[in-house]
Amino acid sequence: MAVRNLSTPQGPVVQPRTALQLIDTLPTSLVAALMRHAHRRSKADRQRETWLIYFGDVRIGTIGLRAGVPNSAPQWGWSCGFYPGIDPGEHRSGIAETFDQARADFLAAWEELAGTRTEADFEAWRRERDWTTWKDQMHDLALPLPTQRPEGIARCFCGEVTTRTLDAHVRTAHRLTAA
Ligand SMILES: [Zn+2]
């Protein structure tokens, strides 16, 4: 999956697939086969043709090829918003003929949404991200959470004993650094 930070002004946008980039270096006999392969894969890969858009370290939306739409329909879709931090009812989305149009629409929507945000909204998203990541790690290690213990105490994978104040522990000890 591709990650692109739209706040960095860089040219265009849709990167050619690696497979297609290789074509120039391959013997001609292989090119046709590879083209067919690339073509056959393209539909299945549509879900993966998605750009994740970050504002700083906060993921604020996506732009991607729409899956399962006829060729005559707009091929690109975008969505803008993050949760928690922006009420789902305020999230925006749309469709567009081209990636550049989708990006322009996205940025217009983001400018409006961003204008009504405070740092606390971004922080709410980061805390949720950190909490979810931590909880998943505990789960993967089959470690109980304090809330799953009768005495309300459990040990974190870092070795520290956590109690019901574990929200503070995650915030101080397991804060993820910016991407
Ligand atoms: Zn810990």
Side-chain angles (χ1 to χ4, degrees), residues 134 156-160 162 169 173-174:
W134 181 83
C156 177
F157 54 80
C158 73
E160 205 169 306
T162 60
H169 172 68
H174 300 290

Coordinates of all heavy atoms in Angstrom, one line a residue, residues 134 156-160 162 169 173-174, ligand 1:
W134 N -1.3 -0.9 21.3 CA -0.9 -1.5 22.6 C -1.8 -2.7 22.9 O -1.3 -3.8 23.2 CB -0.9 -0.5 23.7 CG -0.5 -1.0 25.0 CD1 0.8 -1.1 25.5 CD2 -1.3 -1.5 26.1 NE1 0.8 -1.7 26.7 CE2 -0.5 -1.9 27.1 CE3 -2.7 -1.7 26.2 CZ2 -1.0 -2.5 28.3 CZ3 -3.2 -2.2 27.4 CH2 -2.4 -2.6 28.4
C156 N 2.2 -5.4 31.9 CA 2.4 -5.0 30.5 C 3.6 -5.8 29.9 O 4.5 -6.3 30.6 CB 2.7 -3.5 30.4 SG 3.0 -2.9 28.7
F157 N 3.6 -5.9 28.6 CA 4.8 -6.6 28.0 C 6.1 -5.9 28.2 O 7.2 -6.5 28.1 CB 4.5 -6.8 26.5 CG 4.2 -5.6 25.7 CD1 5.2 -4.7 25.3 CD2 2.9 -5.3 25.4 CE1 4.9 -3.6 24.6 CE2 2.6 -4.1 24.7 CZ 3.6 -3.3 24.3
C158 N 6.1 -4.7 28.6 CA 7.3 -4.0 28.9 C 7.8 -4.3 30.3 O 8.9 -3.9 30.7 CB 7.1 -2.5 28.7 SG 6.2 -1.7 30.1
G159 N 7.0 -5.0 31.1 CA 7.5 -5.4 32.4 C 6.8 -4.6 33.5 O 6.8 -5.1 34.6
E160 N 6.3 -3.5 33.1 CA 5.7 -2.7 34.2 C 4.3 -3.2 34.6 O 3.6 -3.7 33.7 CB 5.5 -1.2 33.6 CG 5.5 -0.2 34.7 CD 5.6 1.2 34.1 OE1 6.5 1.5 33.4 OE2 4.7 2.0 34.4
T162 N 0.6 -2.7 35.3 CA -0.4 -1.7 35.1 C -1.6 -1.9 35.8 O -2.0 -3.1 36.1 CB -0.7 -1.6 33.5 OG1 -1.2 -2.9 33.2 CG2 0.6 -1.4 32.7
H169 N -0.2 4.8 31.3 CA 0.9 4.0 31.0 C 1.2 4.0 29.5 O 2.3 4.1 29.0 CB 0.8 2.6 31.6 CG 1.9 1.7 31.2 ND1 3.2 1.9 31.6 CD2 1.9 0.7 30.3 CE1 4.0 1.0 31.0 NE2 3.2 0.2 30.2
A173 N 4.5 5.4 28.1 CA 5.5 4.4 27.8 C 5.4 3.8 26.3 O 6.4 3.3 25.8 CB 5.5 3.2 28.8
H174 N 4.2 3.9 25.7 CA 4.0 3.2 24.4 C 3.5 4.2 23.4 O 2.7 3.8 22.5 CB 3.1 2.0 24.6 CG 3.7 1.0 25.6 ND1 4.8 0.3 25.3 CD2 3.4 0.7 26.8 CE1 5.1 -0.5 26.3 NE2 4.3 -0.3 27.3
Ligands
ZN1 ZN 4.2 -1.1 29.1

